[in-house]
Amino acid sequence: MKTIAVLPAGSVSDEAVKRLFAIEGEEMNWKHHRLIADVFMSTVNGISDYSVVPIENTIEGSVNLHVDWLVHEVDMPIQAEWVYPSIQNLIGRASEAAGEDGGLDFSKIKKVISHPVAIAQCLQFLRNELPHAEIETVGSTSEGVKIVKENPGQGWAAIGTMTAAANNELDVLSQGITDHDNNFTRFLLVGPEPFTARQSEAQKTSVLITLPEDFPGALHQVLAAFAWRKINLSKIESRPTKKKLGNYYFYIDIEMALDTVLLPSALEEIEALGCQVRILGTYPSFTYEQLK
Ligand SMILES: O=C(O)C(=O)C[C@]1(C(=O)O)C=C[C@@H](O)C=C1
C-alpha cells in the first residue's frame, strides 16, 4: 500500500489526489500535513512514497513557493501531473452573517481566513463583497475552515471547498467565488518511484536550464535546439537562481518522454552550449477528463 503526503483533508490537494488514485483495487494510506514544506519532507524522509504538490493554477499562474521547494530544497523526481478544478466557496455560519431582512449580510463578517493562493483567486469577490474584512493566511484552505469551526461567535469565514464545509458542518455562504470560472490547478506527484497506477499517452519531461554567463543569445540557441527538432514546449518560465541578483534559470516543460528520439540529442546540444541541464522528471500527464 502506498503512502501519500498531502495537505489536510478537505483541501483542494486532498480532493485532487483522491481523484488521481480513484482506481479499483488501489488502497492508499494518506498522511496529512499542515504545511507544504512538511508534505515535501514526508517523502524526503521516507515516511511517504509520494508528495502532492499544487504547482500552477489558471488564475494565479505558478505557485512560486512550491516551484522553489521542488528546485532548491529537495531533489525528488516528478512522477505524474494531473489537473483538477479549484472551486472556492465562502464558508462560515449563516447565523453570524444574518441580515435584518433574513438574508445574508457580509458586512457582519470580520475576518476571512484561507490559503494565500485561494485568496488571490477570489480577490475581486473580496474587494466587492467584503472590503472591510481582515484577511488571514494559513497553510491550506481546509485549515482556514477548521479555524472557523473552532471559533464560533467571532464572525469569521473561510475560503475553501464544499468538502471542507461539510466535514466541519459549516454553511456555504457563497458558492463558486473565484474571479474567473474554469479555475483549474495543475498538481505534481513527486517521489522516488515511477507512478504506474494509471497510464496516459501524454507524457512530459520537465527540465531546469541554467544559461552560461556572458553568452549573448544563449536563450535563443536553447530554444532553437528544441525548435528545429519540432519539440513542443508547454511552459517556459524564468526563476531566480537565488545565488546572484539577476541570475535566472529556466523551468521548461517538454511535451514528450525523455526517451523519445530527438529529446536526448536536444539536451546534449544545449549542454554543449555551456548550459547546465537538470532533469526534474519524465512522467505521464492526465487531463481532468481522463480522471472522471
Ligand atoms: O489550500 C488548499 O486547499 C490547497 O490544496 C493548496 C492550493 C495551492 O497551493 O495552490 C491548491 C489549490 C487551490 O487553488 C488553492 C490552494
Side-chain angles (χ1 to χ4, degrees):
M1 198 191 305
K2 294 271 186 263
T3 300
I4 316 277
V6 60
L7 288 172
S11 63
V12 182
S13 300
D14 181 58
E15 282 188 353
V17 72
K18 286 186 174 148
R19 179 61 67 92
L20 180 71
F21 282 99
I23 308 166
E24 244 189 76
E26 283 288 326
E27 279 202 34
M28 315 307 298
N29 190 11
W30 309 108
K31 278 235 170 298
H32 293 292
H33 295 278
R34 197 171 73 80
L35 300 173
I36 197 75
D38 298 325
V39 169
F40 272 108
M41 291 317 290
S42 183
T43 304
V44 169
N45 294 333
I47 295 160
S48 300
D49 297 291
Y50 297 110
S51 297
V52 175
V53 183
I55 202 75
E56 179 178 1
N57 74 78
T58 320
I59 300 179
E60 265 297 286
S62 286
V63 185
N64 289 335
L65 172 73
H66 304 179
V67 175
D68 285 351
W69 258 89
L70 193 66
V71 168
H72 296 291
E73 308 292 335
V74 298
D75 191 9
M76 268 193 308
I78 306 169
Q79 303 293 4
E81 74 157 25
W82 74 108
V83 168
Y84 189 81
S86 287
I87 301 167
Q88 308 293 0
N89 310 283
L90 188 70
I91 298 166
R93 289 179 182 80
S95 58
E96 292 181 19
E100 306 299 316
D101 60 357
L104 288 174
D105 178 0
F106 287 162
S107 71
K108 298 207 164 149
I109 295 177
K110 298 190 185 76
K111 180 153 91 174
V112 177
I113 311 169
S114 198
H115 187 280
V117 171
I119 287 169
Q121 293 166 351
C122 305
L123 271 191
Q124 294 299 344
F125 173 85
L126 292 171
R127 267 175 70 91
N128 295 336
E129 306 289 339
L130 294 138
H132 56 279
E134 184 193 332
I135 305 288
E136 184 182 321
T137 60
V138 285
S140 66
T141 55
S142 43
E143 184 183 347
V145 180
K146 192 161 161 269
I147 293 173
V148 171
K149 168 73 180 180
E150 286 165 356
N151 291 277
Q154 308 280 350
W156 292 354
I159 293 174
T161 65
M162 298 292 277
T163 314
N167 288 351
N168 290 281
E169 294 171 324
L170 289 171
D171 302 314
V172 176
L173 306 178
S174 189
Q175 211 173 324
I177 59 168
T178 53
D179 296 338
H180 301 273
D181 293 339
N182 293 319
N183 182 33
F184 284 88
T185 296
R186 197 157 66 83
F187 288 89
L188 301 180
L189 194 69
V190 301
E193 276 176 51
F195 169 78
T196 51
R198 284 179 189 266
Q199 265 72 47
S200 176
E201 284 200 357
Q203 300 282 321
K204 275 195 183 175
T205 300
S206 296
V207 295
L208 278 192
I209 296 185
T210 314
L211 305 183
E213 282 185 47
D214 305 324
F215 184 164
L219 179 60
H220 178 90
Q221 297 216 33
V222 166
L223 295 179
F226 293 118
W228 74 259
R229 292 178 175 85
K230 296 198 166 31
I231 295 175
N232 221 14
L233 310 181
S234 56
K235 169 173 171 161
I236 171 161
E237 194 169 273
S238 61
R239 293 280 307 145
T241 57
K242 298 191 189 249
K243 291 190 180 130
K244 191 173 156 195
L245 186 66
N247 271 23
Y248 286 86
Y249 63 77
F250 291 88
Y251 183 120
I252 300 180
D253 283 345
I254 304 158
E255 287 193 330
M256 58 170 60
L258 186 58
D259 59 5
T260 314
V261 208
L262 296 180
L263 185 50
S265 60
L267 296 176
E268 276 165 27
E269 184 178 319
I270 291 166
E271 276 178 333
L273 293 169
C275 298
Q276 276 173 12
V277 178
R278 179 173 150 204
I279 312 281
L280 291 177
T282 185
Y283 50 88
S285 166
F286 302 93
T287 62
Y288 182 48
E289 284 65 35
Q290 273 173 287
L291 304 179
K292 269 184 184 168

